[in-house]
Amino acid sequence: MCAALARSGPVDHAFGGRLCLDFVNTVDAWSRPATREDLPDYEALLGWCWQMKALPDSATKALRQQAAAHPRSAAAAHAKAMALRASLHRLFTAAIDRKRPATADLDLLNALAAAARSRQRLVPGASWSLTLVCEGDLASPLFAVTLSAQALLVSAELDRIKRCPGPVGCGWLFFDQSKNRTRRWCSMEHCGTRAKSHKGTHGQASA
């Protein structure tokens, strides 16, 4: 399923079903060499956060101003975001394949999770909630993604994470919310139809 995106930005899809999975899916393929990068710089990373409502709009605006004033720090935060994306892909893939994840990937996620939790604050109300204090920290996009990933990894529904199959599928990750857990593709429009066409073409060729 593809969630409709109310805001324009670096991506035109939201197939993942969870913020962390949509973050992993910000390249056009994992099952084959990627040919498109949706987050080439820190500005694009902030655009994605705004598009996905990962951070409050006020925080995104403040971070954009801070990044303009400190381009080297913004570039370093972007590089760390790309490292996190690759680590999350490997961690979730290991979970799907029921393999032990790499220690380095766990260490990176745990370090970022600890930093993210230190920036959470309780907000009282009819229903109390936790909010992420983002202002002043260029790594804030990483914290939002990390908290999403941590929540998913410790949930009872970890087995609902699936991978769009190669070689025709893109290899993107998604959370299967179907009743019978029968979803196979990131979306029928993106890869399902392509796979059917590929199968039909190869079937005719071998007939």
Side-chain angles (χ1 to χ4, degrees):
M1 295 178 64
C2 176
L5 295 175
R7 296 173 165 184
S8 60
V11 300
D12 57 7
H13 57 265
F15 301 124
R18 294 293 183 272
L19 180 69
C20 55
L21 300 182
D22 282 320
F23 179 67
V24 171
N25 296 343
T26 52
V27 290
D28 66 343
W30 283 101
S31 63
R32 54 186 178 272
T35 59
R36 190 190 72 242
E37 170 60 69
D38 291 326
L39 307 179
D41 51 32
Y42 190 79
E43 175 63 27
L45 177 62
L46 285 183
W48 178 82
C49 286
W50 181 83
Q51 187 178 22
M52 304 300 293
K53 300 182 180 180
L55 300 172
D57 288 355
S58 59
T60 304
K61 181 179 179 180
L63 289 171
R64 182 170 285 111
Q65 293 172 345
Q66 186 177 353
H70 304 281
R72 289 186 178 180
S73 296
H78 175 260
K80 197 165 188 178
M82 296 300 94
L84 173 63
R85 185 177 67 180
S87 284
L88 289 178
H89 178 260
R90 290 190 293 266
L91 285 169
F92 286 124
T93 297
I96 292 168
D97 295 336
R98 299 188 178 184
K99 294 181 178 179
R100 184 173 181 81
T103 300
D105 293 328
L106 281 175
D107 288 346
L108 176 59
L109 185 59
N110 278 325
L112 285 170
R117 288 194 299 272
S118 73
R119 288 161 175 77
Q120 285 186 309
R121 300 292 183 270
L122 272 172
V123 178
S127 297
W128 286 53
S129 62
L130 282 169
T131 187
L132 186 64
V133 179
C134 307
E135 287 78 0
D137 197 331
L138 290 170
S140 295
L142 285 70
F143 299 149
V145 170
T146 295
L147 291 172
S148 170
Q150 186 182 52
L152 182 54
L153 284 167
V154 301
S155 74
E157 296 182 307
L158 185 60
D159 60 348
R160 284 187 178 270
I161 304 174
K162 293 185 178 180
R163 176 177 51 219
C164 189
V168 180
C170 60
W172 281 342
L173 306 181
F174 59 88
F175 188 81
D176 184 0
Q177 302 182 70
S178 64
K179 183 177 180 180
N180 297 320
R181 306 190 184 201
T182 55
R183 180 178 166 190
R184 184 181 182 190
W185 307 100
C186 61
S187 78
M188 283 303 298
E189 296 82 358
H190 194 268
C191 285
T193 301
R194 182 195 307 167
K196 288 184 177 181
S197 175
H198 179 81
K199 183 178 180 180
T201 300
H202 280 251
Q204 291 173 7
S206 61

